[in-house]
Amino acid sequence: MTQSSPHHYAIRIEADDIDALGHVNNSIYLRWVQAAVVDHWEALAPPEAVTAHRWVAVRHDITYRKPAFLADALVATVVLESVRRESAFYDTVIRRGSETLAEVKSRWCCLDADTLQPARLPAETVACFLPRTEAA
């Protein structure tokens, strides 16, 4: 699978996200990445696939570049790099305008919603994430 087209997710910073140092706490970035990846999944997967599957994070590798602050307008750009077996590999970049604040590589495991066991996505579901020229 070639990577998906970029998916943009607007991030809203809440007052509780700010730590004692006056910027967004590093742990909040994980919440944002999860929300952005799930939003990507729900935006592109067929409704029946969304109902039939759940995602759990297996690994996050985060590089923090710059701090984020309460008044910042942020966007997470999500790209599905590949799907192998029951795993999906995502790159997420969180930006404030043209500034990169964080880069995240993550691996997610697809679960069957009923059994909560690892599940492979059908090829037709994976095809929903390909650029239109490749899916055709």
Side-chain angles (χ1 to χ4, degrees), residues 8 10-12 16 20 23 25 42 45 52 56 59 64 70 79 103 105 114 117-118 120 123-125 136:
H8 304 288
I11 295 171
R12 182 177 171 165
D16 289 345
H23 59 71
N25 186 276
E42 291 176 349
V56 294
R59 179 186 173 115
Y64 299 98
L70 185 59
V79 174
E103 298 165 317
K105 292 193 173 290
D114 293 328
Q117 294 298 309
R120 289 185 184 189
E124 55 273 9
T125 300

Side-chain angles (χ1 to χ4, degrees), residues 41 49-56 109-114 116-117 119:
W41 164 250
V50 172
T51 300
H53 300 93
R54 299 291 177 266
W55 291 94
V56 294
C109 181
C110 181
L111 302 179
D112 178 282
D114 293 328
L116 300 181
Q117 294 298 309

Side-chain angles (χ1 to χ4, degrees), residues 1-135:
M1 171 187 161
T2 302
Q3 70 184 28
S4 70
S5 297
H7 177 77
H8 304 288
Y9 177 79
I11 295 171
R12 182 177 171 165
I13 301 173
E14 304 290 338
D16 289 345
D17 297 341
I18 306 301
D19 63 18
L21 299 174
H23 59 71
V24 173
N25 186 276
N26 290 358
S27 66
I28 302 302
Y29 288 75
L30 293 175
R31 185 179 76 212
W32 294 343
V33 169
Q34 178 164 335
V37 167
V38 169
D39 188 69
H40 179 247
W41 164 250
E42 291 176 349
L44 296 178
E48 61 275 9
V50 172
T51 300
H53 300 93
R54 299 291 177 266
W55 291 94
V56 294
V58 175
R59 179 186 173 115
H60 294 296
D61 181 13
I62 303 176
T63 302
Y64 299 98
R65 302 276 180 212
K66 295 182 178 188
F69 302 97
L70 185 59
D72 289 345
L74 305 182
V75 173
T77 301
V78 176
V79 174
L80 176 61
E81 289 291 331
S82 65
V83 175
R84 293 195 302 269
R85 301 178 47 90
E86 68 282 343
S87 294
F89 298 85
Y90 276 92
D91 281 343
T92 304
V93 178
I94 297 172
R95 291 186 178 91
R96 174 180 51 227
S98 62
E99 293 180 287
T100 297
L101 304 187
E103 298 165 317
V104 185
K105 292 193 173 290
S106 56
R107 177 179 166 211
W108 297 78
C109 181
C110 181
L111 302 179
D112 178 282
D114 293 328
T115 67
L116 300 181
Q117 294 298 309
R120 289 185 184 189
L121 289 174
E124 55 273 9
T125 300
V126 174
C128 295
F129 293 85
L130 296 172
R132 293 198 188 279
T133 57
E134 289 183 43

